């Protein structure tokens, strides 16, 4: 399996605190069946995780994984916050952040928790024109999407994908997030899933997500989601 959204890199944001915790998270993921993890540290005010820092942490973690014989490949990424059009275009112009898997085709773009970014549709349309598929992480956790789902629909119609978090399907975030996650699933609007794991408590649990989706919608739906995740990392 492939986890396309995970805060496994140590000492870089609010994810793994040190290399030992990053290794522990990787072991949990490996035992769960994951073989590829896209490391996606936050890229926003307060956590400006530039490419060089991300690459340094990945080299350190991959070396530790190889030494410990944990068969997981760590791939580059960031979770870019859409703070404003100015913030996006400044950092996009300088190419300060990583696309998912270090390519140039998929970008994880997070909404601010304080409220919907009104520039979102323009940014999504801009990225799509550049040949980039924006992926919106955990839309089910944002009250503004639940209260006004046309905001999300407009982004999907413009070419964005969603990434629903396994904990939401499990009901660990809250019942509103769970209900909306299943509504997206029923509408065929769950393009990818991920753990959004941050530590050994908020841990990797990807197999649970696929189990739920297969039970709810069948193996073909789960396979289609996995197929899109393979596209993200170029498999």
């Amino acid at each position: 399996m492939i986890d396309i959204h995970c805060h496994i890199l140590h000492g870089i944001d609010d994810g793994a605190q040190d290399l030992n915790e990053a290794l522990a998270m990787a072991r949990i993921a490996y035992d769960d069946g994951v073989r590829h993890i896209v490391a996606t540290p936050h890229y926003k005010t307060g956590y400006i995780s530039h490419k060089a820092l991300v690459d340094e942490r990945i080299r350190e973690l991959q070396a530790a994984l190889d030494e410990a014989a944990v068969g997981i490949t760590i791939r580059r990424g960031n979770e870019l916050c859409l703070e404003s059009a100015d913030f996006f275009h400044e950092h996009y112009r300088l190419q300060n952040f990583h696309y998912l898997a270090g390519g140039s085709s998929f970008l994880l773009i997070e909404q601010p928790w304080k409220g919907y970014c009104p520039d979102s549709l323009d940014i999504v349309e801009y990225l799509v024109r550049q040949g980039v598929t924006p992926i919106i992480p955990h839309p089910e956790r944002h009250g503004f999407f639940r209260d006004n789902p046309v905001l999300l629909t407009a982004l999907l119609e413009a070419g964005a994908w969603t990434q629903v978090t396994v904990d939401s399907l499990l009901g660990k975030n809250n019942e509103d997030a769970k209900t909306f996650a299943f509504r997206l699933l029923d509408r065929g609007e769950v393009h990818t899933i991920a753990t959004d794991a941050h530590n050994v408590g908020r841990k990797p649990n990807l197999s649970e997500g696929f189990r739920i989706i297969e039970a709810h919608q069948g193996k073909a739906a789960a396979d289609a989601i996995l197929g899109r995740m393979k596209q993200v990392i170029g498999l």
Side-chain angles (χ1 to χ4, degrees), residues 7 13-14 40-44 47-49 78-79 110 198:
H7 296 264
D13 63 357
D14 58 346
T40 52
H42 291 292
Y43 195 99
K44 61 182 180 180
Y47 291 124
I48 299 292
S49 306
N78 274 114
E79 182 180 14
E110 180 184 32
H198 279 62

Side-chain angles (χ1 to χ4, degrees), residues 53-114:
L53 178 59
V54 174
D55 291 347
E56 176 187 326
R57 292 291 194 272
I58 287 177
R59 285 193 296 269
E60 292 171 359
L61 177 54
Q62 190 67 64
L65 290 171
D66 294 345
E67 183 177 356
V70 179
I72 283 181
T73 300
I74 306 295
R75 295 169 179 261
R76 297 175 176 90
N78 274 114
E79 182 180 14
L80 174 67
C81 185
L82 299 187
E83 297 188 9
S84 66
D86 288 343
F87 180 87
F88 168 78
H89 285 292
E90 175 188 357
H91 293 281
Y92 181 88
R93 177 177 58 82
L94 297 171
Q95 291 292 287
N96 283 334
F97 50 78
H98 280 301
Y99 295 79
L100 294 181
S104 60
S105 298
F106 296 92
L107 181 64
L108 197 66
I109 54 168
E110 180 184 32
Q111 286 291 322
W113 290 101
K114 65 183 179 182

Side-chain angles (χ1 to χ4, degrees), residues 5 15 28 69 78 91 99 111 145 157 183 197 213 221 234:
H5 179 185
I28 293 169
N78 274 114
H91 293 281
Y99 295 79
Q111 286 291 322
F145 283 142
E157 288 178 348
R183 182 180 303 170
I213 291 168

Side-chain angles (χ1 to χ4, degrees), residues 92-152:
Y92 181 88
R93 177 177 58 82
L94 297 171
Q95 291 292 287
N96 283 334
F97 50 78
H98 280 301
Y99 295 79
L100 294 181
S104 60
S105 298
F106 296 92
L107 181 64
L108 197 66
I109 54 168
E110 180 184 32
Q111 286 291 322
W113 290 101
K114 65 183 179 182
Y116 180 72
C117 173
D119 302 317
S120 296
L121 183 56
D122 288 342
I123 292 170
V124 165
E125 290 175 340
Y126 176 82
L127 286 168
V128 170
R129 289 196 299 271
Q130 311 310 309
V132 178
T133 298
I135 299 181
I136 302 164
H138 46 67
E140 75 283 354
R141 295 182 60 201
H142 291 290
F144 46 77
F145 283 142
R146 298 195 301 263
D147 295 340
N148 193 7
V150 295
L151 292 174
L152 181 60

Side-chain angles (χ1 to χ4, degrees), residues 2-62:
I2 304 154
D3 194 354
I4 67 166
H5 179 185
C6 185
H7 296 264
I8 195 170
L9 296 184
H10 48 293
I12 195 170
D13 63 357
D14 58 346
Q17 293 301 298
D18 53 35
L19 186 55
N20 286 334
E21 185 168 37
L23 277 168
M25 290 172 67
R27 288 190 174 99
I28 293 169
Y30 182 84
D31 289 344
D32 193 48
V34 171
R35 297 297 178 265
H36 301 272
I37 294 176
V38 184
T40 52
H42 291 292
Y43 195 99
K44 61 182 180 180
T45 300
Y47 291 124
I48 299 292
S49 306
H50 284 291
K51 284 180 174 179
L53 178 59
V54 174
D55 291 347
E56 176 187 326
R57 292 291 194 272
I58 287 177
R59 285 193 296 269
E60 292 171 359
L61 177 54
Q62 190 67 64

